[in-house]
Amino acid sequence: MTYCTAKVASPGCVPSIGATGTPSLTQSDFVVHCDDVVSQQFGLLFWGREDVNLPLLGGTMCVGGGVTRTPVQFSFGLGNGNCSGRLELSMDSQFLQSSGFVAGEDIYCQWWFRD
């Protein structure tokens, strides 16, 4: 699932993106998450229908094709700027349908978070 190199955060975190569940337009339990994020920071999930490799703001933008930004998430974690944070977004059936997804479509996701 990861095709773009993660930017190492200031405390040495190397974030990793992943997913659990099964996306479905009728009964989805699909969750896209990012682990090893700086704790107690805010982040956004960007998703699109194309992959790109574009330098941006000291990192790399890996998502293209009409990029959509999700609401701000909070990483929680143990505090003190360590790497225990986690960002996640549930892509339930309502989210998938309202976003215009079709069955079998590939999407590309990337988390951006405050460091």
Side-chain angles (χ1 to χ4, degrees):
M1 177 174 225
T2 303
Y3 60 90
C4 197
T5 303
K7 181 180 177 188
V8 178
S10 58
C13 309
V14 181
S16 61
I17 192 170
T20 59
T22 304
S24 168
L25 294 174
T26 57
Q27 288 185 301
S28 180
D29 62 351
F30 191 58
V31 175
V32 177
H33 58 84
C34 187
D35 293 312
D36 304 320
V37 175
V38 177
S39 66
Q40 299 183 1
Q41 297 298 327
F42 294 96
L44 297 168
L45 177 71
F46 291 91
W47 61 267
R49 290 172 166 87
E50 296 176 19
D51 63 333
V52 297
N53 189 355
L54 176 69
L56 180 67
L57 303 174
T60 304
M61 188 67 176
C62 303
V63 177
V67 174
T68 301
R69 178 183 70 103
T70 61
V72 174
Q73 308 293 314
F74 187 66
S75 68
F76 296 100
L78 301 175
N80 298 324
N82 62 31
C83 302
S84 63
R86 177 182 171 100
L87 299 166
E88 63 179 42
L89 179 72
S90 173
M91 292 188 168
D92 62 17
S93 298
Q94 182 179 4
F95 176 89
L96 295 175
Q97 290 174 11
S98 67
S99 298
F101 289 111
V102 296
E105 180 176 27
D106 288 331
I107 63 165
Y108 300 88
C109 298
Q110 181 175 21
W111 286 99
W112 281 70
F113 62 91
R114 185 175 175 193
D115 183 6

